[in-house]
Amino acid sequence: MVSAADDGRTELTAVVVDDHPAIRAGVEYWLSTASPPITVVAAGEDVKVAWTEPGDSADVVVLDLHLSGPTPAMGDLRRLANAGRHIVIYSMRGDNDIALQCLELGALSYLTKAEGEGHLVEAVSTAAHGRPYTPPTLAGALVGDRSQFRPALSARESEVLVEWFQSESKEFVARRLGISTSTVNSHLERIRVKYARIGREAPTKASLVARAIQDGIIGVDEL
Amino acid sequence: MDDGTVGVLSPHRQADRVLAVMRVAVFVVSLSVQFGLCWIPLFYYRHEYRPAWLAPAAFAVFALVTLVSGWWVLRRRRPPGVFVASSIAVLFCASTVATAAVPAGGFFGAPHWSFGLVGWQLLMLLLDRPMIVIVSALGGHILLSVLQFGLAGLPGRIELGAAAITLISVSSFQLAIAVMCRTHYRRALLAGAMAAERERLATEKAVAEQLNDEQRVRFAGQLGSMLPLLVGVADRTLDTRTDDVRRRCAVAAAQLRRLFAENDDVPDPLVHELSACIDVAERRGLGVSLAVSGDARPVPKIVRRELTQPVMTALALARSTARVTVLRTEDAIRVAVVADAARQDVALAPSALIEVECFTLEQRVWVEARWCPRQMTAGPS
């Protein structure tokens, strides 16, 4: 899968998989009015729209985990991640466990529907470039992670997650901790790189780590 | 054993007390029968008993059994089983001896004074035993006496009739008393059980009333801080158009709602109480979002009260939006509020149980209440 940035294309595209037409329409509207705009090339209630023309070539898959059933669509997520697709999970549920499981399977972002337009647009546009986005709820899940194989985070990294979870404002986090907004971002990215290295392998996770090394966010010796 | 504690006696002990009194009555009857009635024929027919010493000796044995029983009976104690068993054996022997000494033609008549007495004594010893035991003992004694009566020679029809009348009247009277005592005992048992049940209900009621009173006092205690506010609003010394009064009212309303939520039986009391505070804020038109990370853990009520207080204060300061977060990690429980506050001066009461931190940035205020359970168990810092 070649991301928009690598391709040299300027137009970003997405496919929306959600069983509620109002959500599909809302997401499409938010993305189309973003700056730069993101074009929704296909939208549907079934995940097959992401596998067929024209959805199969979209930069990002915005996936609702609960597609007309009580069980989360983890299988669909895994298959999309194995195919190297950039996935943003957009879910009703805010459970820490499900969010962490989605990251492990290779999702680049996990958003709850309580999180608004700003976070969704940012998550989709960063995912289009193969980068992770950690919205506040996901930050809360990461800092509350008590699983056995969780990566070791530094005290500062944990504090960034906590403050971001609480305030939803990177400027606020930066001012509170006396650092710059870009440092807040690189902390969040470093945390995501650490998470990308645990659990099962996925192409998106591998490229996420490679890109972080390339960008100097994390050193090879740190891995 | 303590008779002063009637209220806490079990139904069985209540009934045993009734039985003890009845045993004393039967003891008095035995004593009266022996020393009031029996000695008269013993003295009157003293020359007719063969051998002559046998009847007075049996009388002495009966007296001994009665008097020794009195040691327990008069103290309202149950005579020990070993004593009862040996006494019955002794009574049967003494009765056989006394009956054997009765002159011919005296069976079940005046010279046969021991027959009625043994019945009363058996009743006294066995009063607390099941009816079947009492009937067996009395029946055994009658059988023994009748056997001796028969062995002493074929009685005439008149003799037989007289004997039967005595036998039936004495035995049926004793049996009737036994039945009466047992019935009385069962009634006492029932009454005791009912009294115990009533006692239990009364205790339950008292405990419930106590709890209710405590709750009322606690509510009143918390209302105490609100009363001056209510009085001020009522007599218009406080102007509800001012921000300060409105903020105080908002905090008071949230405190009340939280207080009501405190006693609800819910799986996650902390989030439940926070939701109550948020509910009050939302009624003011505030847009509040709540995010929770981490599973519910037990938090003492007093700590929950402390954790929610800064939230209420911060929410009261908010102008239009606020975000409340609960973060539960291994080491700490952190409750935070970020709100667009109209004022920067957040007055937070200091707490010995939790750490409270406040930070303001331009028009935003951040308040965090943090509780570290491990530090608490190690001793408050």
Side-chain angles (χ1 to χ4, degrees):
Chain A
M1 185 75 203
V2 181
S3 71
D6 302 329
D7 207 12
R9 284 184 286 125
T10 49
E11 192 201 33
L12 305 179
T13 55
V15 56
V16 181
V17 184
D18 196 298
D19 55 345
H20 290 98
I23 298 281
R24 293 198 297 268
V27 170
E28 193 169 347
Y29 175 74
W30 279 350
L31 295 181
S32 65
T33 53
S35 171
I38 302 157
T39 311
V40 175
V41 291
E45 59 179 1
D46 196 275
V47 77
K48 70 181 176 210
V49 293
W51 291 109
T52 50
E53 286 269 355
D56 63 338
S57 60
D59 295 321
V60 181
V61 181
V62 179
L63 178 67
D64 179 11
L65 267 192
H66 294 272
L67 297 165
S68 59
T71 48
M74 289 300 185
D76 289 323
L77 168 61
R78 195 183 61 243
R79 282 184 286 276
L80 286 167
N82 285 347
R85 304 296 293 270
H86 300 146
I87 306 147
V88 169
I89 299 293
Y90 196 44
S91 170
M92 280 300 283
R93 302 264 301 269
D95 315 32
N96 289 1
D97 293 344
I98 290 184
L100 294 169
Q101 216 179 323
C102 289
L103 290 198
E104 208 225 308
L105 287 175
L108 285 172
S109 189
Y110 183 99
L111 289 119
T112 60
K113 284 178 181 166
E115 286 167 311
E117 180 184 356
H119 292 296
L120 182 70
V121 169
E122 199 163 352
V124 174
S125 53
T126 41
H129 297 92
R131 293 180 186 279
Y133 178 71
T134 310
T137 305
L138 183 57
L142 293 177
V143 80
D145 183 9
R146 289 185 225 169
S147 59
Q148 202 185 345
F149 302 108
R150 66 180 186 273
L153 302 182
S154 71
R156 178 44 65 95
E157 284 167 351
S158 296
E159 208 46 41
V160 166
L161 284 176
V162 172
E163 300 275 349
W164 172 229
F165 169 61
Q166 290 177 343
S167 69
E168 293 186 301
S169 158
K170 284 180 184 166
E171 291 73 41
F172 198 87
V173 179
R175 291 285 287 273
R176 274 273 301 150
L177 301 176
I179 52 177
S180 68
T181 317
S182 62
T183 312
V184 172
N185 279 327
S186 60
H187 274 303
L188 289 174
E189 203 158 335
R190 279 169 66 94
I191 293 162
R192 291 298 302 277
V193 171
K194 287 184 177 181
Y195 267 91
R197 295 190 61 245
I198 60 158
R200 64 184 291 283
E201 287 178 11
T204 41
K205 287 165 81 178
S207 64
L208 194 151
V209 176
R211 193 180 296 273
I213 296 167
Q214 211 177 341
D215 295 354
I217 287 166
I218 199 157
V220 182
D221 51 327
E222 287 179 85
L223 297 175
Chain B
M1 302 304 160
D2 186 2
D3 289 346
T5 54
V6 182
V8 293
L9 281 184
S10 70
H12 272 280
R13 285 200 54 201
Q14 293 262 36
D16 284 345
R17 281 156 51 103
V18 172
L19 203 64
V21 174
M22 292 190 290
R23 201 190 286 117
V24 172
V26 178
F27 171 78
V28 172
V29 170
S30 302
L31 217 61
S32 314
V33 166
Q34 182 160 15
F35 295 100
L37 303 174
C38 293
W39 71 273
I40 301 171
L42 181 69
F43 181 75
Y44 192 78
Y45 299 104
R46 65 187 180 281
H47 303 299
E48 294 185 31
Y49 294 112
R50 292 288 176 272
W53 59 269
L54 214 53
F59 187 89
V61 170
F62 289 135
L64 192 73
V65 170
T66 308
L67 293 174
V68 175
S69 309
W71 168 254
W72 288 282
V73 172
L74 291 178
R75 289 186 306 146
R76 317 265 169 101
R77 302 276 174 85
R78 187 181 197 223
V82 180
F83 170 77
V84 170
S86 46
S87 295
I88 289 170
V90 168
L91 284 178
F92 268 72
C93 292
S95 172
T96 313
V97 166
T99 306
V102 171
F107 281 97
F108 300 110
H112 193 186
W113 51 268
S114 66
F115 178 71
L117 176 64
V118 173
W120 287 113
Q121 286 184 315
L122 286 173
L123 207 58
M124 174 187 70
L125 290 168
L126 296 172
L127 203 61
D128 51 0
R129 313 281 156 173
M131 202 57 206
I132 181 82
V133 178
I134 300 175
V135 171
S136 307
L138 288 177
H141 180 242
I142 292 167
L143 209 69
L144 191 71
S145 304
V146 170
L147 203 69
Q148 281 183 288
F149 177 47
L151 287 175
L154 213 58
R157 276 169 61 195
I158 294 171
E159 253 186 326
L160 208 63
I165 288 168
T166 313
L167 207 142
I168 289 164
S169 59
V170 170
S171 306
S172 56
F173 185 47
Q174 288 170 346
L175 214 61
I177 294 291
V179 169
M180 212 175 74
C181 287
R182 292 308 299 177
T183 309
H184 219 64
Y185 176 71
R186 276 198 297 275
R187 286 280 158 85
L189 210 58
L190 205 68
M194 284 168 78
E197 176 66 13
R198 204 164 48 227
E199 187 90 0
R200 197 183 61 75
L201 289 174
T203 310
E204 242 172 39
K205 185 165 170 263
V207 168
E209 274 171 1
Q210 176 75 21
L211 278 178
N212 191 31
D213 283 352
E214 274 172 20
Q215 194 128 310
R216 201 174 296 151
V217 167
R218 202 152 42 77
F219 277 8
Q222 299 234 359
L223 279 173
S225 59
M226 293 172 205
L227 287 178
L229 182 67
L230 288 173
V231 170
V233 170
D235 65 15
R236 302 198 178 175
T237 49
L238 292 177
D239 186 356
T240 48
R241 284 169 301 183
T242 62
D243 281 347
D244 184 53
V245 172
R246 290 165 87 146
R247 204 189 67 245
R248 281 172 65 192
C249 288
V251 173
Q255 275 175 337
L256 270 182
R257 268 289 273 118
R258 202 206 63 82
L259 196 63
F260 297 146
E262 198 174 76
N263 293 306
D264 294 344
D265 190 15
V266 288
D268 194 342
L270 179 64
V271 170
H272 179 64
E273 286 165 28
L274 283 171
S275 302
C277 301
I278 291 168
D279 185 46
V280 173
E282 282 175 334
R283 277 161 198 260
R284 282 199 297 123
L286 216 62
V288 188
S289 67
L290 170 68
V292 181
S293 172
D295 299 329
R297 309 168 35 181
V299 182
K301 196 181 272 185
I302 180 83
V303 176
R304 294 204 307 269
R305 246 177 245 168
E306 300 271 313
L307 284 174
T308 44
Q309 188 60 45
V311 175
M312 286 186 271
T313 313
L315 284 176
L317 283 171
R319 267 183 320 176
S320 60
T321 56
R323 174 172 168 86
V324 179
T325 53
V326 180
L327 182 61
R328 294 182 275 218
T329 60
E330 273 173 348
D331 316 309
I333 290 178
R334 303 165 75 159
V335 180
V337 182
V338 177
D340 55 342
R343 298 159 54 122
Q344 306 294 306
D345 53 326
V346 188
L348 292 165
S351 166
L353 290 168
I354 58 161
E355 291 170 45
V356 183
E357 216 182 322
C358 181
F359 180 78
T360 53
L361 180 69
E362 287 143 22
Q363 289 295 298
R364 299 183 90 187
V365 62
W366 169 92
V367 176
E368 188 194 57
R370 189 187 311 190
W371 180 59
C372 305
R374 280 185 195 161
Q375 273 180 22
M376 289 313 298
T377 47
S381 52

